[in-house]
Amino acid sequence: MTLLTATIGAYPKPAYLAVPDWFQDGDTVQTDSVTAYNEYTLRSEENTEKVMDRAAQEVVQEQVNLGIDFPTDGEVRRENYIHYHCRHLKGIDFSRLTEKTMRSGAWFNKVPTIAGPVRAYEHFLVRDWKIAQAATNRPITVTIPGPLTLNDSLFDGYYNDERQLCRELAAALQYEILALAEAGCQRIQIDEPLFARQPDKALAFGIENLERCFHNLPDSVTRITHICCGYPARVDDENYYKADRAAYFQLAAPLDAADIDAVSIEDAHQNNDLKLLEHFRQTTVIFGVIAIARSRIEQVDEITARLQQALEHIDAERLIAAPDCGLAMLDHATVIAKLRNMVQAAKIAG
């Protein structure tokens, strides 16, 4: 059988879309993406929403034309995958930025401050999903940052209790997730890279809150979590402090027992011991086979070989080929070449 393919989240923004990006010039992490986005919203014209809609649909159509079975909207509306959602939550002050070291010391930035109880505003992702879904009959995956990752990406000036904060973040996320399901969205992905950085917290209360986010979803919705090991500071930076891939072994069995359907993991940047896949006895694995921060384009034969090695440890119907993470760091031409080779390899490997 032909293996299915997916993208994970971010995609290069079209040149005409002026939304500030976490990545400057395609390869450098913004030191203050929050301020850049705040300034952008102040000077935006009334037709910005239409431009974003156009960009989202073009990105979806491009992925479908390349053969991606489960595309995303490329997160083209977002300055980054975290703070876009935070702007739609009460209790988070974007005018009060606090310096914070995050990702277990891998990243330092100014982040919004939690100044009161975190609650959801009016729904917003339903419209985003409808615009993207109108571009294809293939199911769009909507991506949402998870509670533990949000906790690490904000400065807590109110709760002083990680467990309580994460529970309330999960409740606010669930409010949006249930609305997506009611509207007809079939695939919802919660991004939790902090699971790999902080597996002890993931096991203590992270997985519990992940399930809380998905609670009461109908069986028709595929529940996905994405656990990457982190973006480097720039393309081809091989010295970046990634999360320890051994964390996947700590998390695999508990995730397999959790009320989720699919887990997205990295394998291209640094290969895993593929015995890891045997720990997922019922869960689908979305398997990263192209690197998202290397300019080198993986060839069809090497991607095919890696997928075939993976298939020695997991059934084909539970293996989906994908990039390691979002693709926003790479230039457009490189992304096209990498995805094209990935799709071809998935056809061969299955």
Side-chain angles (χ1 to χ4, degrees):
M1 62 177 290
T2 298
L3 295 180
L4 295 172
T5 58
T7 48
I8 299 304
Y11 203 82
K13 290 180 172 63
Y16 60 79
L17 186 62
V19 177
D21 207 325
W22 204 346
F23 307 107
Q24 292 177 321
D25 301 324
D27 71 352
T28 305
V29 175
Q30 275 265 19
T31 56
D32 191 358
S33 60
V34 173
T35 298
Y37 191 88
N38 285 347
E39 293 174 351
Y40 161 76
T41 58
L42 290 174
R43 66 176 184 270
S44 295
E45 299 178 0
E46 292 182 359
N47 67 352
T48 298
E49 199 70 41
K50 294 181 180 179
V51 176
M52 290 181 180
D53 292 350
R54 170 191 166 193
Q57 292 193 335
E58 286 181 1
V59 163
V60 169
Q61 289 166 351
E62 180 167 281
Q63 292 171 69
V64 170
N65 290 341
L66 287 167
I68 300 297
D69 295 294
F70 303 123
T72 72
D73 70 355
E75 300 178 357
V76 295
R77 304 172 191 276
R78 313 181 189 190
E79 78 270 35
N80 63 61
Y81 73 103
I82 296 167
H83 293 141
Y84 177 74
H85 200 110
C86 292
R87 292 176 188 279
H88 298 86
L89 298 176
K90 298 177 183 178
I92 300 176
D93 189 348
F94 274 78
S95 66
R96 180 181 161 195
L97 302 181
T98 306
E99 293 183 343
K100 182 177 180 179
T101 300
M102 294 163 285
R103 308 302 188 261
S104 301
W107 186 38
F108 177 82
N109 208 340
K110 296 178 181 178
V111 298
T113 300
I114 298 174
V118 174
R119 301 290 185 269
Y121 277 126
E122 295 181 357
H123 298 300
F124 68 103
L125 284 179
V126 168
R127 183 187 181 278
D128 291 0
W129 167 73
K130 285 182 176 179
I131 293 297
Q133 191 61 74
T136 182
N137 59 3
R138 299 184 185 183
I140 296 291
T141 303
V142 174
T143 58
I144 298 173
L148 194 62
T149 296
L150 285 174
N151 172 57
D152 192 66
S153 308
L154 300 164
F155 181 82
D156 179 12
Y158 178 77
Y159 286 91
N160 198 32
D161 183 334
E162 283 187 311
R163 289 176 181 265
Q164 182 185 357
L165 172 56
C166 286
R167 282 196 301 270
E168 297 202 4
L169 285 167
L173 295 173
Q174 188 209 23
Y175 176 80
E176 197 65 30
I177 287 168
L178 291 177
L180 282 165
E182 185 177 353
C185 179
Q186 298 174 32
R187 294 178 61 84
I188 299 174
Q189 172 183 303
I190 294 180
D191 296 334
E192 279 288 22
L194 257 292
F195 278 21
R197 293 279 184 194
Q198 299 175 1
D200 291 345
K201 289 183 181 179
L203 294 171
F205 56 89
I207 294 174
E208 171 189 337
N209 282 313
L210 176 65
E211 291 184 300
R212 184 172 279 115
C213 291
F214 288 136
H215 186 58
N216 285 334
L217 275 188
D219 291 340
S220 58
V221 178
T222 300
R223 302 158 173 83
I224 308 162
T225 189
H226 167 64
I227 307 172
C228 70
C229 296
Y231 280 104
R234 60 189 58 84
V235 172
D236 295 324
D237 179 3
E238 296 297 325
N239 296 317
Y240 178 71
Y241 171 48
K242 283 260 188 181
D244 187 350
R245 60 185 172 178
Y248 285 152
F249 274 92
Q250 293 177 257
L251 297 166
L255 286 169
D256 193 53
D259 189 18
I260 57 174
D261 302 304
V263 174
S264 164
I265 61 173
E266 287 191 9
D267 187 72
H269 183 87
Q270 49 185 2
N271 290 164
N272 296 287
D273 176 348
L274 290 179
K275 290 182 180 178
L276 168 69
L277 301 179
E278 297 174 13
H279 293 265
F280 294 102
R281 299 180 181 275
Q282 57 187 3
T283 308
T284 293
V285 174
I286 302 172
F287 191 62
V289 289
I290 58 174
I292 52 83
R294 287 186 179 133
S295 56
R296 177 182 171 274
I297 297 168
E298 297 86 351
Q299 298 304 300
V300 173
D301 58 350
E302 66 181 284
I303 302 172
T304 302
R306 190 58 177 169
L307 288 171
Q308 289 174 335
Q309 291 167 0
L311 287 170
E312 296 175 9
H313 302 271
I314 191 170
D315 298 333
E317 60 268 22
R318 289 194 298 112
L319 185 69
I320 297 175
D324 271 354
C325 192
L327 295 161
M329 292 192 74
L330 300 171
D331 66 83
H332 186 239
T334 300
V335 167
I336 293 292
K338 283 174 174 270
L339 289 180
R340 183 177 288 122
N341 286 356
M342 183 187 82
V343 170
Q344 186 175 348
K347 291 178 180 177
I348 298 169

